[in-house]
Amino acid sequence: MNTRNQLTIGRLAAESGVNLETIRYYERLGLLPKPPRTASGYRRYTTDAVRRVRFIKQAQMLGFSLKEIAELLSLRVDPATTCADIKQKAERKIDDIEEKIRTLRRMKEALAKVSASCIGRGPTSECPILEALDASKEDYGNR
């Protein structure tokens, strides 16, 4: 490996915008290949590692889990994979996100309803929010 294109773990972390532990974590998960080490034991990364870490972070920002990112990375190098395969994964992720949005809206509506039932005064032993949280799901649905 050309020493000019080698990066220390600190340099990789800085150029990728993550911390050292993130790099080590990605290595443990297999998202980032373990780099060769120098005779003194220092990791030496190529500049391609920066691109890979940035790919991982961007995929996370779009909602992909680390497991899904590992799949994307393996599909990326599989010659049998097509853009249609990747598009299908992206569309599945969109569906997952839409379901999460629906769930969050239901949560917001339920919390707003419970919050509106509280006047914001009095002892916590009489707080309708705490009472609702303490109630079973069936009890809550009847409020």
Side-chain angles (χ1 to χ4, degrees):
M1 182 187 316
N2 181 347
T3 56
R4 287 174 158 223
N5 294 329
Q6 293 182 345
L7 303 171
T8 63
I9 191 170
R11 181 78 181 182
L12 172 60
E15 289 191 23
S16 303
V18 300
N19 64 47
L20 297 173
E21 286 307 311
T22 300
I23 301 294
R24 291 183 184 114
Y25 183 61
Y26 289 169
E27 280 182 24
R28 284 194 304 275
L29 294 178
L31 293 171
L32 190 61
K34 292 190 188 278
R37 292 184 180 252
T38 64
S40 56
Y42 290 101
R43 292 173 172 95
R44 288 304 207 185
Y45 298 88
T46 66
T47 52
D48 289 338
V50 174
R51 186 170 159 228
R52 189 173 183 105
V53 173
R54 287 179 179 165
F55 176 94
I56 293 166
K57 294 309 293 177
Q58 183 65 26
Q60 281 183 303
M61 287 176 41
L62 293 176
F64 288 98
S65 69
L66 292 177
K67 181 181 176 190
E68 292 167 328
I69 293 168
E71 292 171 11
L72 289 171
L73 288 167
S74 66
L75 288 173
R76 188 178 202 180
V77 296
D78 181 351
T81 301
T82 66
C83 283
D85 298 322
I86 305 302
K87 181 178 173 120
Q88 183 180 31
K89 289 211 172 280
E91 288 174 346
R92 262 192 251 132
K93 181 49 61 181
I94 291 168
D95 292 342
D96 290 347
I97 291 168
E98 287 292 338
E99 181 56 36
K100 286 178 185 176
I101 290 169
R102 285 189 292 274
T103 299
L104 287 170
R105 282 192 180 126
R106 286 191 300 271
M107 290 166 60
K108 179 184 173 190
E109 290 167 8
L111 185 56
K113 182 178 177 182
V114 171
S115 181
S117 71
C118 181
I119 60 171
R121 291 188 302 274
T124 58
S125 61
E126 298 173 11
C127 178
I129 297 171
L130 294 177
E131 288 176 13
L133 294 173
D134 201 25
S136 69
K137 185 176 181 179
E138 295 79 27
D139 290 344
Y140 180 72
N142 295 326
R143 287 182 181 251

